[in-house]
Amino acid sequence: MNSSDCEQSLTAVDLEEPPGTSYQNTSTSYTLTLSPPQVTQYKIAAGAPSAEAKPAESPPPVAFNRRARTTSKTRAFRKRFFPDVPDKDWNDWRWQSRHRIRTADKFEQMLELSDAEREGLSKGGNLLPVGITPYYMSLLDQADPLQPLRKTVVPVKDEFIRTPGESDDPLGEDGHSPVPGLVHRYPDRVLLLALDFCSTYCRYCTRSRVVGHGEIMPNEKRLEQAFEYIRQTPTIRDCLISGGDPLALSDEKLDWMLGRLREIPHLEFIRIGTKMPAVLPQRITPSLCRVLKKHHPLWMSIHFLHGEECTPEAYQACARLADSGVPLGAQTVLLKGVNDSVNVMKDLFHRLLMMRVRPYYIYQCDPISGSAHFRTTVSKGLEIIEGLRGHTTGYAVPQYVIDAPGGGGKIPLQPNYIVGRDGDDLLLRNYEGQVYRYPDPV
């Protein structure tokens, strides 16, 4: 990471104040009055996070009604568009999958479409398919095309514009696939793409080149090739199953897949990446949880974007998973106009902790083709981390990473808390901008 990327570099300048013992800081600079001869002031470069980067006010307190079964918004949606559907069907994940909203006509009935959305839908399916579960559609604002959740699932014309630096496969996964649907980038772990189907398609999907096109099928012949590769590679100790959404598989198929992986002696644990608790929480059934419990140690990374996804249904889904002994982590993609503020992220992470989900990663949005309207600057991500660190529990502060284009892997980014050095002391800045010494002899 260089200074131009993060706009967070520190520039040494001459200090005019006389030596003394006190420290002083302003919103943009830190004046260190130190013993001579080494007297240095460090000043944050222009554009760096300042007092403006810190939340002006705390988000409203998180409150969950643990007895609520749904929200008034979802109830109103069902009454208007699915009045005759009984609870048994609405709460059936297979019914939700079968009744996904996929056509422009259906979107037109349920949303007041903007011109950009109408144009995006007219091209839908050419690159990334369109599909939204009725449940997730109930969370969308029917009138406002700028509502955060709506922006992430309803296509707009901008996703068909390719800008410099974008790629259909920005992470270089295809070049790290020894067998179809298996990505081996890091020495000790692999990514197994179980299938290419999602119940709801995110418009910024990193794998839009493959998902929804029928290129990755969960057939046993292909999966056996992947299992054999893992079996023949004893350095692999960790397998992440993703896709598509692996929880779109039936309980029986998932049970078989996990069982086959569990037969490999050197495979220590398995992870599942999913967005089901956010877009189709009805999928997290007691039956599914019984399957998962058979294959521990099993971890799960859940894709959450915004506090509006933390509904009573999502809460129940995560509770079932947690009660089944599955450690839950959240992965969040930083998206312009969706969650690119400290308060929105803090609210989301506080809600996730209430749902027993530990915020794990904030991803800088990958430069996937047609994603320019979603991407923020890297300095925005650093600003959010700085607005979280020290201002809330460390459990609510995920790691901010860029998944390097070309297959470089995840690279962590942090605001610069090292102000400089004075002799054998390291000078560190805390969350309030105060500077402290730490003995660190060179």
Side-chain angles (χ1 to χ4, degrees):
M1 180 180 62
N2 56 46
S3 59
S4 62
D5 286 334
C6 68
E7 298 178 2
Q8 182 82 31
S9 63
L10 297 170
T11 304
V13 297
D14 294 332
L15 182 69
E16 297 178 352
E17 289 83 355
T21 57
S22 64
Y23 299 118
Q24 176 186 358
N25 78 285
T26 68
S27 61
T28 57
S29 67
Y30 305 91
T31 303
L32 314 176
T33 311
L34 309 172
S35 301
Q38 280 192 290
V39 180
T40 307
Q41 180 185 17
Y42 291 86
K43 192 171 186 178
I44 296 181
S50 64
E52 293 179 0
K54 296 181 172 59
E57 57 184 17
S58 298
V62 175
F64 273 107
N65 182 351
R66 291 174 170 77
R67 296 182 178 178
R69 299 180 63 184
T70 190
T71 63
S72 58
K73 196 172 183 178
T74 295
R75 282 196 298 272
F77 177 86
R78 282 186 61 183
K79 185 176 181 181
R80 180 175 179 185
F81 297 109
F82 296 95
D84 300 325
V85 174
D87 288 350
K88 179 182 177 182
D89 287 342
W90 179 267
N91 294 322
D92 182 338
W93 70 278
R94 296 181 185 276
W95 182 93
Q96 289 277 340
S97 291
R98 286 196 303 270
H99 291 81
R100 292 182 303 148
I101 292 87
R102 303 184 61 191
T103 66
D105 288 346
K106 283 291 185 182
F107 275 85
E108 195 80 62
Q109 292 173 22
M110 295 179 175
L111 302 174
E112 297 174 22
L113 295 178
S114 68
D115 291 342
E117 290 174 325
R118 196 169 286 109
E119 184 173 343
L121 283 164
S122 70
K123 299 178 179 178
N126 292 334
L127 182 62
L128 176 66
V130 177
I132 305 175
T133 60
Y135 162 78
Y136 202 75
M137 180 65 90
S138 78
L139 306 183
L140 307 190
D141 190 300
Q142 295 170 26
D144 183 7
L146 300 181
Q147 185 225 9
L149 299 193
R150 180 164 160 174
K151 292 179 69 173
T152 65
V153 291
V154 179
V156 294
K157 61 180 182 180
D158 291 347
E159 70 177 60
F160 298 94
I161 301 172
R162 178 180 291 206
T163 59
E166 293 181 346
S167 166
D168 292 346
D169 181 20
L171 305 185
E173 291 183 339
D174 292 345
H176 291 81
S177 295
V179 298
L182 188 78
V183 180
H184 191 184
R185 175 178 302 155
Y186 303 101
D188 69 334
R189 50 202 185 276
V190 290
L191 166 64
L192 174 59
L193 303 179
L195 74 172
D196 63 10
F197 174 84
C198 289
S199 63
T200 297
Y201 290 103
C202 306
R203 307 319 300 174
Y204 50 89
C205 177
T206 295
R207 302 194 183 98
S208 59
R209 72 189 186 282
V210 293
V211 297
H213 297 306
E215 295 182 9
I216 301 178
M217 302 299 290
N219 63 71
E220 294 189 9
K221 181 178 179 182
R222 180 184 68 83
L223 291 171
E224 287 290 358
Q225 283 184 285
F227 301 152
E228 183 60 22
Y229 178 85
I230 297 171
R231 187 178 297 107
Q232 297 298 325
T233 313
T235 58
I236 297 172
R237 55 184 290 274
D238 168 11
C239 177
L240 168 62
I241 306 173
S242 187
D245 197 318
L247 295 190
L249 297 171
S250 68
D251 291 352
E252 294 74 17
K253 188 77 174 185
L254 198 60
D255 191 22
W256 171 81
M257 183 183 301
L258 293 171
R260 293 290 286 146
L261 289 170
R262 271 281 158 252
E263 292 172 357
I264 301 174
H266 55 266
L267 196 61
E268 296 178 357
F269 68 103
I270 301 169
R271 295 178 288 154
I272 292 176
T274 180
K275 193 173 170 63
M276 284 294 191
V279 298
L280 185 49
Q282 294 82 359
R283 174 64 185 104
I284 313 303
T285 62
S287 173
L288 171 67
C289 292
R290 283 193 293 273
V291 169
L292 300 178
K293 288 174 70 173
K294 292 168 57 181
H295 301 286
H296 281 309
L298 184 72
W299 294 58
M300 190 168 288
S301 295
I302 307 174
H303 184 25
F304 277 105
L305 282 174
H306 193 279
E308 292 183 8
E309 293 175 327
C310 301
T311 63
E313 290 92 333
Y315 181 93
Q316 183 188 52
C318 293
R320 283 178 172 171
L321 291 168
D323 288 346
S324 300
V326 181
L328 304 176
Q331 301 189 120
T332 301
V333 181
L334 177 60
L335 298 173
K336 184 187 300 181
V338 175
N339 55 19
D340 56 338
S341 79
V342 173
N343 278 349
V344 169
M345 284 291 197
K346 183 184 287 187
D347 176 61
L348 168 63
F349 297 150
H350 286 181
R351 290 175 187 273
L352 291 176
L353 290 184
M354 293 291 289
M355 294 163 62
R356 292 190 276 173
V357 181
R358 165 76 156 88
Y360 179 36
Y361 277 134
I362 291 179
Y363 285 103
Q364 180 70 9
C365 184
D366 294 328
I368 189 73
S369 300
S371 64
H373 59 297
F374 276 126
R375 294 203 305 276
T376 67
T377 60
V378 172
S379 63
K380 175 59 68 175
L382 293 170
E383 173 187 311
I384 289 171
I385 294 298
E386 185 156 20
L388 294 172
R389 176 65 65 190
H391 299 275
T392 184
T393 170
Y395 282 110
V397 184
Q399 194 169 50
Y400 175 44
V401 297
I402 287 180
D403 213 340
K410 296 179 185 65
I411 299 174
L413 304 178
Q414 274 286 331
N416 194 351
Y417 293 107
I418 299 178
V419 177
R421 173 175 288 280
D422 181 44
D424 286 342
D425 288 348
L426 198 62
L427 307 177
L428 304 171
R429 173 173 63 90
N430 79 346
Y431 75 103
E432 296 173 308
Q434 303 295 323
V435 177
Y436 294 84
R437 291 172 177 268
Y438 179 81
D440 183 41
V442 293

